[in-house]
């Protein structure tokens, strides 16, 4: 059973990116937002990103228009009823996710797969809100979604082999690479990335090097596209703080404990690019 129509819940940074790659890959894509204003903002985000892809020579104007024509928006759940897959990318609130999936479970056809793009909650606790736990996976995309090649396909104790295969096939159909992983907090990437980012803050705090030199060291010394402090600004310090707290609670290991400087920067509103200031200032 191949996946045709896709529903995307949430049209923020991640949801918009996910809807864009689905539509580019030929899927009829319906985005559901809670508010018309958010829907319009999300559509504008997608148009801007598709425009960028045209500017970069990744897409021609016709392909951009075709992708846009495959996307529709709604503030209701009913238009998602005949989807083959619904990917959730709403705010990182367990309660919101559980309520949304419980309602969705009653609306969307029984054969459809459900997926969450959560980066911090476990898939298990979200899946339990539905009667289709064997057809529930994590599909964890990376920012910026149209560019990053990886999707983590997360399996719970309840996910069936068939669901995993369908999810992995769907991911390769998007032109991305899937990796299978267990539903442990942070999955593979954040489990390794978060301690590294937190350590970069500790190194800065201990005066090992300046912001610029720590970034330059990792960029040029290890071939990373961005230094860790630039990446923190990119991902969002508030987001990283939130994820680190959840991982620390789960594992009780020092390497996941958010350093005081991170907490203070979040409290001071220095959340990175999105707030105009993090480790660097943005115009
Ligand atoms: N659509 C399609 N392709 C696009 C595009 C778009 N909208 N925008 C850019 N591209 C392509 C470009 O054509 C280029 O491809 P090429 O190398 O084949 O020519 C490539 O993407 C890079 O684009 P740019 O040259 O414009 O940008 P940079 O070279 O400055 O790279 C970056 C920007 C991709 C963000 C790079 O700095 C990078 O990879 N940074 C690290 C990002 C990262 O680590 N993300 C993961 C964050 S962690 C996360 O998301 C998990 C969460 O749970 C916290």
């Amino acid at each position: 059973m191949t996946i045709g129509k896709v529903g995307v819940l949430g049209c923020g940074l991640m949801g918009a990116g996910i809807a864009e790659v689905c539509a580019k890959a030929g899927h009829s894509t319906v985005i559901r937002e809670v508010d018309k204003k958010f829907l319009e903002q999300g559509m504008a985000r997608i148009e801007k990103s598709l425009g960028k892809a045209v500017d970069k020579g990744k897409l021609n104007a016709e392909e951009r228009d075709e992708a846009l024509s495959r996307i529709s928006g709604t503030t209701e759940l009913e238009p998602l009823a005949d989807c083959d897959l619904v990917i959730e990318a709403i705010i990182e609130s367990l309660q919101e996710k559980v309520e949304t999936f419980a309602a969705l479970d009653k609306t969307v056809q029984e054969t459809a797969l459900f997926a969450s793009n959560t980066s911090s909650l476990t898939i298990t606790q979200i899946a339990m809100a539905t009667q289709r736990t064997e057809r529930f996976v994590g599909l964890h995309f990376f920012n910026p979604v149209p560019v990053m090649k990886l999707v983590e396909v997360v399996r719970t104790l309840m996910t069936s082999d068939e669901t995993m295969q369908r999810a992995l096939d769907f991911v390769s159909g998007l032109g991305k690479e899937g990796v299978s992983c267990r539903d442990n907090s942070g999955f593979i990437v954040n489990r390794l990335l978060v301690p590294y980012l937190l350590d970069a803050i500790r190194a800065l705090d201990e005066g090992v090097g300046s912001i610029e030199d720590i970034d330059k060291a990792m960029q040029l010394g290890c071939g990373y596209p961005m230094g860790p402090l630039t990446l923190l600004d990119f991902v969002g310090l508030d987001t990283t703080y939130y994820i680190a707290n959840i991982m620390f609670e789960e594992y009780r290991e020092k390497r996941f404990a958010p350093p005081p400087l991170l907490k203070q920067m979040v409290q001071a509103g220095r959340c990175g690019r999105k707030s105009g200031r993090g480790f660097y200032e943005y115009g």
Side-chain angles (χ1 to χ4, degrees):
M1 269 199 295
T2 54
I3 285 164
K5 185 173 172 182
V6 179
V8 178
L9 303 174
C11 203
L13 191 65
M14 298 305 283
I18 294 167
E20 178 188 329
V21 296
C22 291
K24 269 198 301 199
H27 296 282
S28 162
T29 305
V30 51
I31 305 172
R32 191 260 183 170
E33 255 297 356
V34 285
D35 192 299
K36 262 201 165 145
K37 196 181 87 197
F38 294 143
L39 207 50
E40 280 162 17
Q41 285 170 353
M43 285 306 296
R45 213 190 275 271
I46 294 172
E47 279 175 36
K48 191 172 165 200
S49 175
L50 285 170
K52 199 169 164 187
V54 173
D55 294 345
K56 298 256 177 197
K58 299 279 163 190
L59 217 61
N60 63 43
E62 201 181 317
E63 288 165 332
R64 175 199 58 201
D65 295 342
E66 275 172 18
L68 280 171
S69 73
R70 290 190 197 104
I71 304 176
S72 59
T74 179
T75 53
E76 310 294 330
L77 289 182
E78 284 69 30
L80 281 76
D82 60 344
C83 282
D84 301 306
L85 166 70
V86 178
I87 308 170
E88 169 273 314
I90 65 171
I91 56 162
E92 288 288 82
S93 150
L94 179 61
Q95 195 187 337
E96 293 268 347
K97 288 182 197 283
V98 161
E99 281 171 15
T100 306
F101 272 116
L104 208 62
D105 201 27
K106 296 193 184 87
T107 314
V108 179
Q109 57 179 335
E110 218 181 299
T111 50
L113 302 190
F114 282 177
S116 174
N117 178 59
T118 184
S119 51
S120 56
L121 302 165
T122 62
I123 303 302
T124 307
Q125 56 190 336
I126 307 169
M128 289 304 287
T130 72
Q131 301 296 317
R132 60 181 92 194
T133 52
E134 74 285 4
R135 288 189 299 287
F136 205 116
V137 283
L139 283 180
H140 186 215
F141 291 78
F142 293 85
N143 182 22
V145 178
V147 178
M148 304 308 280
K149 283 276 169 242
L150 183 74
V151 180
E152 290 177 313
V153 181
V154 186
R155 128 171 259 167
T156 73
L157 294 175
M158 301 159 298
T159 312
S160 70
D161 290 343
E162 191 199 336
T163 298
M164 279 306 280
Q165 199 50 57
R166 288 182 73 194
L168 285 161
D169 290 346
F170 167 74
V171 165
S172 33
L174 297 181
K176 308 238 178 243
E177 295 278 336
V179 289
S180 312
C181 51
R182 270 171 55 176
D183 188 26
N184 287 9
S185 183
F187 314 133
I188 296 173
V189 171
N190 279 340
R191 185 181 178 125
L192 300 177
L193 178 66
V194 169
Y196 158 68
L197 295 178
L198 300 180
D199 247 347
I201 301 173
R202 291 185 194 107
L204 175 70
D205 211 19
E206 288 164 18
V208 174
S210 67
I211 293 172
E212 290 79 7
D213 282 348
I214 289 174
D215 273 349
K216 195 194 276 182
M218 294 312 291
Q219 218 182 339
L220 302 184
C222 295
Y224 291 178
M226 286 175 168
L229 302 168
T230 304
L231 184 55
L232 274 155
D233 277 359
F234 183 72
V235 169
L237 272 67
D238 51 343
T239 306
T240 308
Y241 180 63
Y242 184 79
I243 297 174
N245 268 316
I246 290 190
M247 293 181 75
F248 181 64
E249 236 173 72
E250 176 77 12
Y251 297 114
R252 303 275 165 188
E253 286 176 32
K254 237 163 82 183
R255 62 201 172 111
F256 298 111
L261 177 59
L262 175 61
K263 184 177 181 178
Q264 286 158 29
M265 287 182 71
V266 173
Q267 285 171 337
R270 295 187 190 175
C271 293
R273 274 194 203 198
K274 65 172 103 168
S275 65
R277 185 166 180 185
F279 291 102
Y280 297 89
E281 285 197 47
Y282 302 88

